[in-house]
Amino acid sequence: MAGKMKTTSPGQAPLVALEAITKAYPGVVANDDVSLDLGVGEIHAIVGENGAGKSTLVGVLNGLVRPDSGRILLAGEEIEVESPRQALGLGFGYVQQHFSLIPTLTVAQNVILALRGSPEAIDARQGSRRVRELGERFGLRLDPDARVGDLSVGEQQRAELLKALARGTRVLSLDEPNALLTPQEWIELEGVLRGLAESGVGLLLISHKLDEVLRLADRISVMRRGRLVATTTAREIDVERLAALMVGELVEAPPPRRRTADHGRVALATADLGVDGDRGERAVTAVDLSVAAGEVLGVAGVEGSGQVELAEALCGARRAATGTITLEGEDIGRRSVAERMGLGLGHVPADRRNGGLVATLSVDDNLVLPIIGQAPFTRWGVTRPKAIAAHGAELIERFDVRVPDGSVAVGSLSGGNQQKVVLARELSRPLRALVCCYPTWGLDLHAAASIRTEILKLSEAGVAILYMSVELDELLAVSDRILVLNRGRVTGELDAREATSEQLGLMMGGQERSAA
Amino acid sequence: MSRLALFIRPRGLVAAILVPVGAVALALLTTGILLLIVGSDPVQAYKSMFEAAFGNSFALGNTLVKTVPRLLPALGIAVALRAGLWNIGAEGQLYIGAIAATAITIWFPDLGAAGIVLALLAAALAGGAWGAVPGVLRATRGVNEVITSLMLVYVAILLAGYLVGGPWSVPNSSFPGSEPVSAGERLPIIWDKTLLNAGFLVALVLLGLTWVLVSRSSLGLRLRAVGGNVKSARLAGINVKRAIVVAMAISGAYAGLAGGIEILGVRGRLIDGFSPGYGFEAIAIALLGGLNPIGILLGALLFGALDAGSAGLQTAAPGTPSSIVQVSESLTVIYLLIALGARDMWMRRRSARAALAERSGEAPATGVASGGQEALG
C-alpha cells in the first residue's frame, strides 16, 4: 500500500502521546505502565484479548477514565484530561462500541446537539443542509433528516462519526468500529478512515479483527493483561505473529491430556438452540452441540460471539428462545437453575464478580448458597453456623483457597482465590456435566493452571465438560474437540489434536473455511 | 481465626459507629447554629429538649412510645434493603395496617386479648400485602419499586381519609375519626404513670426476630445474596423473583404492624393523617442504623427523642419554630449520606491499590512471555 507510512519525523513531537499510564480497578489492573503515541495522519491500531486494557487506555485519553499515574502529551505539551467534555474541547473524538445517539432525533438534530456550545455550533435553522455538507466533506453518506432509530447499525456508526468529526476532531478513537458492520459496510468505512488520516487526523483503532487491522493501520500495538507487549509497524508483522502476541504463550504447559477417541454416552446436548441477549438481539442461533461423559468440548469465540449467553441458557439463567437442551437424554429446557443443579449440571460463570459470587457475602456463605435450604445447614429455616463453617472450611482446604478464614467477605479475595471459591462450590456437588465460561480469565498463570487442573480432573472422573475460552492455546490444550462461534453461530468444529490457533482465529473472525 | 481478621473487624465496627454518630453530632451542631440565628439559646434549647425526652419516667415513656412507630418500619425497610430493594412506601403500609387493625376492632369489639392479637395480625398481613404489590410489579414487570411503593402511600392515606370521613365516621363528631377502640382491645400500659404500651414489647421481640431473619436464616441469606448481586444469586439457583416479592411483603408487614400498634396502643382510633410521616423517617433511620437492628433501635430512639423533645422546646424557648426538629433530622440524613459516600470512595480506592500491589507481586510469575515491551522488526 503506497504512501502508508506517515509516522512522525525525528525530533518532532507526536500528535499525542500516552506515557506510563497505570490504572487499577478493584481486583484488576487494567493498564500497567502503558506508553503509546500517535502521529499526525497516522492510523494506530490497538489489538488484544478481552480485558487486555484497550478500552481503558482509550478511555484515559478521552477523559472517561482517570489514570492512577502517567501523563498525556499533546504535541509535546503535558495536558490533563479530566472529563469527556474537556477531551472534546482538545479535539479528541471517541466513537464507542455502544453509540451515544438519541434514537428519537434525526441525524441532523443529533449532530446539532453535539455541537451546542462549541465553536463549530450549527444554527438549528440551517440544520440538515449544513449537516449534509459536513457528511459530504468527510465522505459519510447519510440522510440528515432520517430518524436515528430507523437507521441500520452501519448508518448509526456513520452518524456517530459525523458527530465526532463535525467538532474538528484531531485525534479520533474508535472502539471496535468493525464489530457490528457487514463486510461491505466496513470496506466503505475503511475508505472514510483513510481519507481522514490523509487530512491529518490521528486515528486510534481498537479491534479484534487482525486482517482488517493489518490492511488499515500504519502501526499496531498489542496489549495483553493490562500491559503493552509490542508496538510494530503493520508492514513488519503478519496475522499469525499478531495472534501469538495477543494470546501469549503459556509458560507452563498444562499437563498433557490423555485423549481417547470414544467417550461415554452423550451427557449434555443442544439442538437448534437459540438464545436472546440482554438487548433482545439473537445472541446464539441454531447451535447444535453434544458433549459426552468424560469429554471436553472447547468453545472458541471473541467477545460477544455468544459464549456467555450459551452458557447462561444451558444453566437455566437465560431462557432458550428456540431449540432444546438435554442432560443425559432428559429435556431440561424448562427447568429452573436450582433444578438443573440438582440434576448434576455445574456452571462456572463468565464473570466471577458478577455471576459467580456475591462479593458482600462471606466465603462460607457463598460456598453454601445453592444448598442452604438442605440439611444440615438449615433447620426450621434457621441456619446452623457451625455446619456452614465446617462445610466452608472443608472446601477451603480441599481447593486450597488462600484466605484467613471462611468468614471473610469473598470480595476481598484475589481473582484466583475467588475463582477457586466458584470452582469449589460447583465441583463439590455431584456433577454429570460442567459448563465453564472463561474459567481462567484474568488469572495469573499459576492460578490458571491450578483451575485447569481441577476441571480436567473432573473430566477424568467422567463428567462432561463444556469449556469456553478466548485463549486459544488454552482451548487447544484442554479440549478434545473445539467448536468455534462467530456472532452466535457455529462456524465450525475441529479436532483439538489437529487444530491450530491460526485456524481457530480465522474461524473466530467469521471465516468458515479452514486455512490450509 | 487469624490475626488479619481480628484486625479488620474492629476497624469496620469503629467506622460503622463513627459515621452515624458523627453525622448526628454535626446535625445537632448545625441545628445549634440555626437556633442562634433564629434568636434562641441553643444550650438552653437542647437542655429543655433533653428534659422533655428523658427527664423523668413519663418523658422517657413518651420517647419510647414515639420510638415504636419509627423502629418497626425501619426494621422492615432494612430487610428490603438487604435484598437490594428500596421500600419507600412504609408510610402507606403503616396506614393500611392501621386500617386493617381498626376494621377488626370495629367488626369484633368484644374479643379482648384475642382481638388485639387478631388486629395486629391483620395489620401485619395487610401491610405485607400492600408491600408485596410493588414487589410483584418489580419481579414480573421490572417496574421500579421506589415509584410504585411511594405512589401506594397516597392511595393508602386517601383510603384512610375516606373511611374516617365516610363509612367509619362517627356521627356528630367534630373531627374525622373512627369509633374509639373498645377498652378491652387497647394495648395495655406496661409502665405505670407513663403512656408506654405493650406495643413496645412487640417491637423489641421483632427486633430480635429481625436479627435472626437477616443473619441466621436461609431466607435471610438468600435475600442478602439477591441484594449483593442479582445475577450471582440467580446463577446460584435462587429464585430471585420470589425473593423480591417476599422481601417487599416482609418489609410491608413491619410497617403494617406499626400502624396497628399505633391504633391499638396510642391513638385508640383511626384518625385522618394520624402519622406525621413515621414511614418516611424510618428510611432515614434504617440508613442511620447501618441496616443493623441495634443501630436501627438507636436511630429510632434518637428520632423518637427528638419528637418527644420538641414539646420541651416549645415551653422552654417560645417562638422557636418546632420545625427545627425536622431540620435537625434532615441534616442528620444529609451528613450521613455524605459520610457514607466518602467512605465508599475511600474503600474503592484502597481496593484498587490492593489490586495494584497484588499485580506487582505476581509479576515474576508471569515470566518471559508477558515481560516488558518486546522490540519487534
Side-chain angles (χ1 to χ4, degrees), chain B residues 29-41:
Chain B
L29 195 71
T30 315
T31 309
I33 295 169
L34 291 175
L35 283 168
L36 273 177
I37 292 171
V38 298
S40 303
D41 174 2

Side-chain angles (χ1 to χ4, degrees), chain B residues 4-19 343 346-347 350 353:
Chain B
L4 184 69
L6 278 174
F7 188 61
I8 289 169
R9 275 200 213 120
R11 265 175 51 176
L13 194 64
V14 167
I17 291 169
L18 266 185
V19 165
R343 193 192 60 182
W346 178 77
M347 278 170 47
R350 198 179 56 158
R353 272 201 301 276

Side-chain angles (χ1 to χ4, degrees), chain A residues 234-298:
Chain A
R235 283 190 304 192
E236 291 167 288
I237 196 157
D238 51 37
V239 172
E240 285 73 21
R241 282 165 66 208
L242 265 185
L245 277 171
M246 252 170 77
V247 175
E249 269 78 36
L250 294 173
V251 173
E252 294 165 57
R257 242 173 74 64
R258 185 173 40 81
R259 295 186 173 102
T260 49
D262 42 53
H263 293 279
R265 68 208 176 287
V266 168
L268 180 65
T270 70
D272 187 38
L273 183 64
V275 187
D276 290 342
D278 288 334
R279 277 165 290 142
E281 80 285 6
R282 185 53 57 87
V284 172
T285 310
V287 168
D288 298 303
L289 62 81
S290 74
V291 204
E295 188 186 28
V296 180
L297 175 65

Side-chain angles (χ1 to χ4, degrees), chain A residues 24-27 29 224-225 227-229 236 312 317 337-338 341 353-357 370 373 381-383 385 404 407 414 444, chain B residues 2 4-5 9 216-218 221-222 228-229 231-232 234-237 351-352 355 358-359 362 365 369-370 373-374 376-377:
Chain A
Y25 291 107
V29 180
R224 187 167 72 228
R225 293 188 180 177
R227 294 202 173 98
L228 188 76
V229 292
E236 291 167 288
E312 289 179 1
V337 176
M341 284 179 162
R353 285 189 295 267
N354 180 27
L357 302 168
V382 178
T383 54
S407 65
S414 72
D444 69 66
Chain B
S2 80
L4 184 69
R9 275 200 213 120
R216 284 285 181 274
S217 78
S218 53
L221 180 61
R222 292 196 182 103
N229 190 312
K231 189 163 188 187
S232 297
R234 184 180 299 122
L235 290 177
S351 166
E358 185 190 324
R359 173 63 175 253
E362 132 202 340
S370 55
Q373 278 183 247
E374 294 161 28
L376 277 179

Side-chain angles (χ1 to χ4, degrees), chain B residues 72 93-94 97 120-121 123-124 127 202-203 206 252-262:
Chain B
L72 284 171
Q93 294 139 19
L94 187 135
L120 293 186
L121 273 179
V202 175
L206 273 162
Y254 278 92
L257 183 61
I261 290 174
E262 194 68 5

Side-chain angles (χ1 to χ4, degrees), chain B:
Chain B
M1 167 106 44
S2 80
R3 284 165 66 188
L4 184 69
L6 278 174
F7 188 61
I8 289 169
R9 275 200 213 120
R11 265 175 51 176
L13 194 64
V14 167
I17 291 169
L18 266 185
V19 165
V21 169
V24 170
L26 270 176
L28 291 179
L29 195 71
T30 315
T31 309
I33 295 169
L34 291 175
L35 283 168
L36 273 177
I37 292 171
V38 298
S40 303
D41 174 2
V43 177
Q44 187 56 44
Y46 280 141
K47 220 176 122 190
S48 59
M49 279 178 76
F50 187 86
E51 279 290 317
F54 301 107
N56 51 54
S57 58
F58 184 84
L60 181 58
N62 200 19
T63 292
L64 293 179
V65 165
K66 290 177 186 300
T67 298
V68 172
R70 294 172 164 95
L71 171 62
L72 284 171
L75 289 171
I77 287 163
V79 170
L81 261 178
R82 289 281 188 177
L85 297 162
W86 285 92
N87 177 16
I88 301 296
E91 181 77 355
Q93 294 139 19
L94 187 135
Y95 268 89
I96 289 297
I99 290 169
T102 307
I104 297 294
T105 62
I106 289 175
W107 297 332
F108 312 104
D110 307 316
L111 293 180
I116 295 176
V117 173
L118 193 62
L120 293 186
L121 273 179
L125 279 175
W130 209 248
V133 172
V136 170
L137 290 171
R138 167 70 190 268
T140 60
R141 288 274 165 270
V143 183
N144 190 330
E145 77 282 0
V146 171
I147 313 286
T148 45
S149 65
L150 180 62
M151 289 303 114
L152 282 172
V153 170
Y154 302 107
V155 178
I157 292 177
L158 292 171
L159 178 61
Y162 160 74
L163 287 172
V164 297
W168 291 351
S169 66
V170 180
N172 308 321
S173 169
S174 57
F175 65 95
S178 64
E179 286 284 356
V181 176
S182 68
E185 292 186 345
R186 290 287 304 255
L187 277 164
I189 299 291
I190 56 167
W191 189 5
D192 276 349
K193 298 188 182 114
T194 73
L195 298 175
L196 189 63
N197 64 70
F200 180 67
L201 298 179
V202 175
L204 284 186
V205 168
L206 273 162
L207 187 78
L209 281 179
T210 307
W211 178 80
V212 173
L213 171 70
V214 171
S215 304
R216 284 285 181 274
S217 78
S218 53
L219 174 63
L221 180 61
R222 292 196 182 103
L223 295 185
R224 282 185 285 136
V226 171
N229 190 312
V230 171
K231 189 163 188 187
S232 297
R234 184 180 299 122
L235 290 177
I238 292 169
N239 186 334
V240 171
K241 287 180 180 176
R242 192 196 314 170
I244 288 171
V245 176
V246 167
M248 286 298 286
I250 291 175
S251 189
Y254 278 92
L257 183 61
I261 290 174
E262 194 68 5
I263 298 303
L264 266 52
V266 182
R267 312 281 167 179
R269 63 170 71 179
L270 184 63
I271 303 164
D272 193 15
F274 75 91
S275 163
Y278 296 134
F280 292 120
E281 283 181 31
I283 300 166
I285 292 165
L287 294 175
L288 192 64
L291 308 189
N292 172 296
I294 298 298
I296 289 171
L297 174 63
L298 295 176
L301 261 175
L302 171 72
F303 278 47
L306 282 171
D307 188 356
S310 66
L313 193 62
Q314 293 306 302
T315 50
T320 307
S322 65
S323 55
I324 201 85
V325 169
Q326 271 102 54
V327 172
S328 184
E329 287 172 2
S330 309
L331 285 170
T332 306
V333 177
I334 290 168
Y335 285 126
L336 180 75
L337 292 176
I338 291 171
L340 289 176
R343 193 192 60 182
D344 285 356
M345 210 186 300
W346 178 77
M347 278 170 47
R348 264 202 301 276
R349 289 220 180 111
R350 198 179 56 158
S351 166
R353 272 201 301 276
L356 201 59
E358 185 190 324
R359 173 63 175 253
S360 48
E362 132 202 340
T366 55
V368 271
S370 55
Q373 278 183 247
E374 294 161 28
L376 277 179

Side-chain angles (χ1 to χ4, degrees), chain A residues 144-168:
Chain A
D145 298 321
R147 224 176 55 100
V148 164
D150 300 333
L151 299 180
S152 74
V153 176
E155 289 168 325
Q156 289 191 21
Q157 188 162 43
R158 287 204 287 275
E160 188 79 48
L161 260 177
L162 188 60
K163 223 175 77 178
L165 294 172
R167 303 193 72 118

